[in-house]
Amino acid sequence: METKHVLPADIERTSMAIITKELQERGICLPEENEAVIRRVIHTSADFDYAKNLVFTENAVRRGIASLAGGAPIITDTNMALAGVSKPSLKKLGGEVMCFMSDPEIAEQAKKDGTTRAVASMTRGAQKYPDAVFAIGNAPTALMRLTQLMEEGLRPSLIIGVPVGFVNVVESKEEVFAACRKYDVPAIVALGRKGGSNVAAAICNALLYTAVDALDPARRGWQG
Amino acid sequence: METKHVLPADIERTSMAIITKELQERGICLPEENEAVIRRVIHTSADFDYAKNLVFTENAVRRGIASLAGGAPIITDTNMALAGVSKPSLKKLGGEVMCFMSDPEIAEQAKKDGTTRAVASMTRGAQKYPDAVFAIGNAPTALMRLTQLMEEGLRPSLIIGVPVGFVNVVESKEEVFAACRKYDVPAIVALGRKGGSNVAAAICNALLYTAVDALDPARRGWQG
């Protein structure tokens, strides 16, 4: 195989065409509004289960894009997700991505409260950036805390709820999705066990790329 | 659901027990040497396909652990994988993790050579750290370059070959695995389309945790 003249933009286009074709072969029709998000998650995982696992509140994609286009910050629960979110796109939109998990004050607060750093991170995020996009790819306790905070009045711009795992994960995602519907908070959630920081970053990027496209379609190159 | 008193160490133990039980239910017996790696990848993805996709050259796990225990550096092809590798474990072992993808010199070199930043990163890594562990979770071109470099004499400590995707990915993984067998380079590869930066980091961490355990079993806590 030849390592020269491999254009990432071409590879991405070909990959997306393969994904579209295989979704058709599986008889899966994606709602147009959610297609870019679902295809990008499959692109990042090679796992077609996400065509069925991902659920969206009404207009979640449209509202999420509008928030990010307006410069809403993204708060994540892992430094991996933070690393995966497209910085060039954020820069064009005037947004930023933050993760408080490694902050010594957060560790101290979590210890004091007898809870997790993820919970303390969400509390901090909600206090400082109540309009943020919360992108949760790891900790079910982060989602559980966001559910509590919505019950107390928090109305974030979007919740991306895609922790992965075997303990409390399925329940925490179902609960946050129900709370988002109840309180009219846009939500994109991967039901079931699957998810991860890579999935959280992929969903952020699908929304960011669309927001950037809307600024100027000619600028859309490969931003993986 | 209650967000207090949730101990990450307990959750990890419970998760691993669930994974072990479900592997048994599926009739999958893992070779003891490779079990920790496979279970951690399933833990990070909730995807039992990895019980079948992951292939290992003979003694790859034992040799990889020995290299990391000796302080071998890890070179990745994404900042996401870099973010996911356990820094406390590396610190205990005297190792480090590096990614050259965002280095302006690498971008310049790739442009000059008409290739990808991933290829230029591997060339740099092989020059500066020929004994490194290469953990590739994204770019098939990185694996293709490592295959070339092995043909030219490179003998890294371990190649973790787990890019995800639809174009050149399957072939690049098969080729690097064959080259590793030919040149007696330890390799852990996810055959097929699946993989990712999260998988690359999970494999590194499974090896790092075992290496740290060997230093002092009493110190093994939750290091997720």
Side-chain angles (χ1 to χ4, degrees), chain A residues 144-163:
Chain A
M144 288 148 70
R145 180 63 182 140
L146 287 174
T147 300
Q148 284 177 341
L149 287 164
M150 283 191 281
E151 284 161 4
E152 294 164 13
L154 183 73
R155 299 291 178 267
S157 289
L158 172 67
I159 292 181
I160 297 169
V162 295

Side-chain angles (χ1 to χ4, degrees), chain B:
Chain B
M1 295 178 80
E2 180 58 73
T3 62
K4 287 198 177 190
H5 315 300
V6 183
L7 289 174
D10 290 342
I11 290 179
E12 182 169 317
R13 258 189 297 277
T14 307
S15 301
M16 290 299 186
I18 293 170
I19 293 166
T20 302
K21 185 170 155 281
E22 294 197 16
L23 283 166
Q24 283 169 352
E25 286 167 2
R26 288 157 201 253
I28 299 168
C29 290
L30 304 179
E32 199 183 334
E33 190 193 347
N34 304 338
E35 202 180 338
V37 168
I38 296 169
R39 287 200 310 171
R40 188 155 294 279
V41 172
I42 296 173
H43 179 260
T44 215
S45 63
D47 189 341
F48 284 84
D49 279 3
Y50 287 105
K52 295 176 180 173
N53 295 351
L54 286 169
V55 292
F56 302 74
T57 59
E58 207 182 326
N59 297 320
V61 168
R62 190 180 53 72
R63 291 168 69 184
I65 291 168
S67 299
L68 291 168
I74 299 171
I75 294 171
T76 80
D77 67 331
T78 63
N79 283 306
M80 269 191 90
L82 181 140
V85 173
S86 169
K87 309 300 177 300
S89 299
L90 281 172
K91 198 176 168 189
K92 285 172 192 166
L93 300 166
E96 59 182 317
V97 56
M98 288 170 276
C99 175
F100 307 128
M101 292 293 285
S102 306
D103 186 327
E105 279 178 32
I106 290 295
E108 207 176 305
Q109 190 66 47
K111 202 173 171 185
K112 204 172 123 190
D113 297 346
T115 184
T116 66
R117 287 181 297 149
V119 168
S121 293
M122 293 304 108
T123 305
R124 160 92 69 91
Q127 279 166 351
K128 293 188 73 169
Y129 309 96
D131 295 334
V133 170
F134 289 85
I136 310 306
N138 183 56
T141 55
L143 282 192
M144 288 148 71
R145 180 65 183 138
L146 288 173
T147 300
Q148 285 178 339
L149 288 163
M150 283 191 282
E151 283 160 5
E152 294 164 13
L154 183 73
R155 298 291 178 267
S157 289
L158 172 67
I159 291 181
I160 296 169
V162 294
V164 57
F166 297 85
V167 177
N168 294 338
V169 167
V170 174
E171 302 85 335
S172 73
K173 292 192 279 193
E174 287 173 1
E175 285 182 10
V176 85
F177 194 68
C180 284
R181 291 178 67 143
K182 182 173 174 186
Y183 298 118
D184 191 31
V185 170
I188 302 174
V189 169
L191 295 179
R193 290 171 167 179
K194 286 184 179 177
S197 299
N198 54 334
V199 173
I203 293 172
C204 290
N205 289 341
L207 302 176
L208 288 167
Y209 297 163
T210 312
V212 169
D213 278 359
L215 288 182
D216 178 359
R219 285 206 294 198
R220 173 77 172 95
W222 181 74
Q223 303 171 59

Side-chain angles (χ1 to χ4, degrees), chain A residues 93-168:
Chain A
L93 300 168
E96 58 181 320
V97 55
M98 290 170 275
C99 176
F100 308 126
M101 292 293 285
S102 306
D103 186 327
E105 279 179 32
I106 289 294
E108 207 175 303
Q109 190 65 46
K111 202 173 173 185
K112 205 172 123 192
D113 296 345
T115 184
T116 66
R117 287 181 298 148
V119 168
S121 293
M122 293 303 109
T123 305
R124 159 91 69 92
Q127 278 166 352
K128 293 189 74 171
Y129 309 96
D131 295 334
V133 169
F134 288 85
I136 310 306
N138 184 56
T141 54
L143 283 191
M144 288 148 70
R145 180 63 182 140
L146 287 174
T147 300
Q148 284 177 341
L149 287 164
M150 283 191 281
E151 284 161 4
E152 294 164 13
L154 183 73
R155 299 291 178 267
S157 289
L158 172 67
I159 292 181
I160 297 169
V162 295
V164 57
F166 298 85
V167 178
N168 295 339

